[in-house]
Every structure is written in structure tokens, then in C-alpha cells.
Amino acid sequence: MSGSEIVSGQRAAYAGFVVFGAFWGAWGASVPAIRDQAGLDDGRLGLALLFVGAGALPAMPAAGLAVDRWGRRPAALLLVLLGAVGTAVALTARDLWSLSAGLALLGAASGAADVAINAAAGTAEQAAGRPVITRAHGFFSASVVLASLSTGLLADVGAPVYLPFLLVTLVAAGLAPVVAAGGRAGAADRAARRGTGTPGERAGGDGGPARARPAGEEAPEGRAGRPAVRLAPLLLFGGLGALAFAAENAHQSWGRSTWPTCSAPGRCSPRPLRRSSLPSSPSPASPPAGWRPGAPRPCSSAAP
């Protein structure tokens, strides 16, 4: 890759994680309002939230194939789609079934976008030779905080619940050219390393001659020239990661859904704890007449 392509790859990764963080920050702050809008109790809300993972699982492998084929361009499209699906969920969630169907679509868009932006960050890190993934996740965290605070402020002034997601969609559309910059550069770079793809991709995407395999180098094993991969370790680490994310997301989702300060307009602004709101402790009884300091206090015959 050229220097400009390396820089554009880093910018694409950072922009993608900014949009992704903005969406999940808006979602986390909107869970109480969406729950109340759908008229759900905690048990049915938990059932609906399961559809996020159910939608994400089949979408992730498909997203990986799309990234291999088209590079960073699917990431830009998926981020815009994620914001649009969030807007649709906020508009149509009126009961358990409408919310569950919307969350399945939201999970599919989110899972696919997650794969695409992490693949973009990984490719940019390999090309740049410096940390990109960790910095991109830093952008994600900062974006989550800013979006959560902004969503709370919008709820405080009585804005409709779909407005934060609509704003995220507009931001995603505005940053789409940055995320998609370079187009097939990532796919061409991966094809050049694997020795697969079209001759232009194997040469690095410039249309030149295909890379010649050095004498004595064995062809990669597996389907379509891909190296053989042991599946068991991947499944083990994937299962451990799934459990970790399940615990993290359960804590985040339920903490947000039961936290009362943002469940209704006018309750999101922090208020200082006034002394008058604290429970008053009973004042000690007045000493009896004639009592001197140091003398034992006589017992009162009155019942406590």
C-alpha cells in the first residue's frame, strides 16, 4: 500500500468506530424509553434482547465474506443501515413482537458492522505497522460516552426517542466516504498475502502481474488456496468471548433499563443531594434536671 492508502485506512477505522460507538451510546440511553413505549416488564424485555444476538450470529460470517470481496465499502453501508434500523425500532416498537423483530434486524446490522469495522482496523494496523485497533476502540468508548450524554439531554428536553438514532444515521452517512475510502484496498491487500483473487488483486490491486510463488514454496492447503485452520481452538476462544460479552452486555443492558434517572423527560439532569432530603437522625434526649457531666444518667421509666 502507498502512504496515502495507509492513512486512509486508519481514518476509515477510526471513523467506523466513532459511528458504531455513537449508535450504542444512543441505544443504551434509550433502552428505558423504548421499554416503556413497548409496554414491557423486565422479563419480556430480557426475552426481546435475546433477539439482538440471534440476529447477529448469522450476519457475522456473511459480513466477513463481503469484506473479503469488497474491502471497506460494506462497512460504510452497514453503519448507515445500523442507524436506520435503530430509527425504525424506536418508531415501531409497540409490543413484544414488534420490538423482538426490530431487535433481530438491529442485531444483524450491528454484528455485520462490527465485523466490518474490526476487519478494517486489523488491515490498517497490518499496513501501518503501529497500533490501530486499540486506538479505534478508544474512539469507540469516547463516542459511547458522548452519545449517551447527548441522548440523555435530548430526552430531558422532551425529544422523541427516535431522534438520537436519526442523528446517528446522518453522521454515518456523512462519514461513509471516509469509511469507504480506498474501496477494495483492504481486499486486494489480503488477496496479495494469500495468493488468491484476481491477478490484479494478487499483485496488490494495481493490475500488474500476479505474484510468483518462490521455488520450493508449497501451495497453501484448504479450499480456494486458503491455509488450513484448526477449528477447535477457534470455537473454544469464540465460546469464551461469547460468554464474556454476554456478561458485559447483560450488565450494561439491565443497568440501563433499571436506572431511573433517564426513564422519563425531566429526570436526566443531575441534581445535587440536598441536606433536607437526607433522613434526619433522632436528636439525643435532653439530660434530666440536676444532672452533672460525669454522673451516670438515670434511667427513664418511659417506654422507648
Side-chain angles (χ1 to χ4, degrees):
M1 285 188 181
S2 65
S4 61
E5 289 176 335
I6 293 175
V7 172
S8 68
Q10 296 178 55
R11 291 176 178 173
Y14 299 149
F17 275 89
V18 164
V19 175
F20 199 62
F23 173 83
W24 282 111
W27 168 257
S30 301
V31 167
I34 293 177
R35 179 197 59 188
D36 295 341
Q37 176 180 290
L40 303 181
D41 56 18
D42 290 342
R44 291 191 294 172
L45 175 63
L47 177 61
L49 290 174
L50 288 176
F51 283 84
V52 177
L57 285 176
M60 287 181 170
L65 295 175
V67 170
D68 281 340
R69 179 66 178 85
W70 293 293
R72 292 192 294 265
R73 287 180 291 186
L77 177 62
L78 288 169
L79 289 169
V80 176
L81 178 63
L82 179 61
V85 172
T87 304
V89 170
L91 286 171
T92 61
R94 302 297 175 182
D95 52 31
L96 173 63
W97 303 113
S98 60
L99 179 59
S100 299
L103 290 182
L105 294 175
L106 188 149
S110 175
D114 197 1
V115 170
I117 61 176
N118 276 283
T123 301
E125 182 169 299
Q126 288 181 333
R130 61 174 68 105
V132 174
I133 297 177
T134 53
R135 295 176 183 175
H137 282 83
F139 278 99
F140 170 83
S141 300
S143 185
V144 167
V145 172
L146 292 176
S148 298
L149 292 174
S150 301
T151 302
L153 292 175
L154 288 173
D156 199 29
V157 299
V161 68
Y162 67 82
L163 182 59
F165 301 103
L166 181 60
L167 294 176
V168 170
T169 306
L170 296 176
V171 171
L175 291 177
V178 179
V179 177
R184 291 169 54 84
D189 183 63
R190 284 187 293 273
R193 293 195 305 269
R194 291 197 308 258
T196 61
T198 64
E201 288 176 340
R202 292 196 301 270
D206 57 1
R211 177 177 64 89
R213 194 182 308 279
E217 179 181 342
E218 296 181 359
E221 300 177 0
R223 186 181 60 183
R226 297 181 182 179
V229 178
R230 296 181 60 185
L231 188 60
L234 294 179
L235 292 176
L236 174 62
F237 284 111
L240 292 175
L243 291 175
F245 279 118
E248 178 191 23
N249 287 326
H251 164 73
Q252 291 176 347
S253 297
W254 286 112
R256 290 157 176 165
S257 65
T258 57
W259 185 252
T261 55
C262 287
S263 60
R267 298 178 64 183
C268 287
S269 57
R271 294 178 175 83
L273 186 63
R274 294 192 292 267
R275 186 176 182 83
S276 60
S277 64
L278 296 175
S280 58
S281 58
S283 58
S286 301
W291 177 81
R292 296 189 305 274
R297 184 186 293 268
C299 297
S300 173
S301 59

